[in-house]
Amino acid sequence: NTRACKKLYAKVAEYADLNGSETVLDLYSGTGTIPIWLSRDAKQVYGIEIVTSAVVDARKNAQLNGIENCEFYEGDIKDVLPNLAQVPDVVIIDPPRVGMHKDVVGQVLAIHAPKIVYVSCNPATLARDLETLSTRYEVVEITPVDMFPHTYHIESVALLKQKL
């Protein structure tokens, strides 16, 4: 659903609210569509993905689009994330239907990023993960996007900001 996908990505960009000076970390980056979408407004974007073919495609997609400020790391987030030296200004999280692994949630909390944009295809795991993240983050807004009309599936984009 290309039109709905454009709306979804536009909402991610709106919530990220980038001005060109930020470092963005995209967890579960897949083939790099969200990092590439955000790259024009970010200083640097890093993506982490466990699926080898997706990382290969992400790198190829960045190259085909002339994107030079996206780097993609292959591996399990819980293994790769602790080794990244970059401290992100914004974390994008777009996990599979089962949501984030509990170890990843702990690592996200340890990063202390000022802002998180969480994209979810499962309201139940979104609620579970937001509850865990609420120890350090305030849920500012959640927007549903109907990516799959005539089905019960709904995507949601949530904006979280670090509590002061």
Side-chain angles (χ1 to χ4, degrees), residues 147-159:
M147 294 280 294
F148 312 103
H150 310 294
T151 74
Y152 62 89
H153 296 288
I154 192 82
E155 292 279 329
S156 299
V157 184
L159 171 62

Side-chain angles (χ1 to χ4, degrees), residues 13-17 24 28 32 45-46 53 55 58-59 69 76-77 84 101 110 114 129 132 140 145 154 160 164:
E14 176 189 329
Y15 283 174
D17 192 28
V24 178
Y28 310 95
V45 184
Y46 299 96
S53 61
V55 175
R59 291 173 179 154
N69 63 336
D76 194 312
I77 292 168
L84 286 182
H101 187 279
D129 291 346
T132 306
V140 176
V145 179
I154 192 82
L160 291 80
L164 299 176

Side-chain angles (χ1 to χ4, degrees), residues 62-118:
Q63 182 182 22
L64 289 171
N65 286 284
I67 306 298
E68 297 181 359
N69 63 336
C70 286
E71 286 185 42
F72 298 96
Y73 296 94
E74 178 188 340
D76 194 312
I77 292 168
K78 61 185 173 51
D79 299 327
V80 176
L81 191 55
N83 297 315
L84 286 182
Q86 303 80 7
V87 177
D89 301 294
V90 179
V91 175
I92 308 296
I93 302 170
D94 187 3
R97 184 163 287 286
V98 297
M100 287 194 292
H101 187 279
K102 64 181 179 172
D103 293 342
V104 174
V105 174
Q107 290 172 337
V108 168
L109 289 169
I111 291 172
H112 300 288
K115 187 184 305 179
I116 295 174
V117 179
Y118 191 123

Side-chain angles (χ1 to χ4, degrees), residues 103-150:
D103 293 342
V104 174
V105 174
Q107 290 172 337
V108 168
L109 289 169
I111 291 172
H112 300 288
K115 187 184 305 179
I116 295 174
V117 179
Y118 191 123
V119 180
S120 176
C121 63
N122 184 341
T125 57
L126 173 64
R128 180 200 69 206
D129 291 346
L130 292 182
E131 176 67 27
T132 306
L133 293 169
S134 71
T135 59
R136 290 215 178 99
Y137 289 89
E138 172 188 7
V139 178
V140 176
E141 186 172 297
I142 301 175
T143 300
V145 179
D146 190 3
M147 294 280 294
F148 312 103
H150 310 294

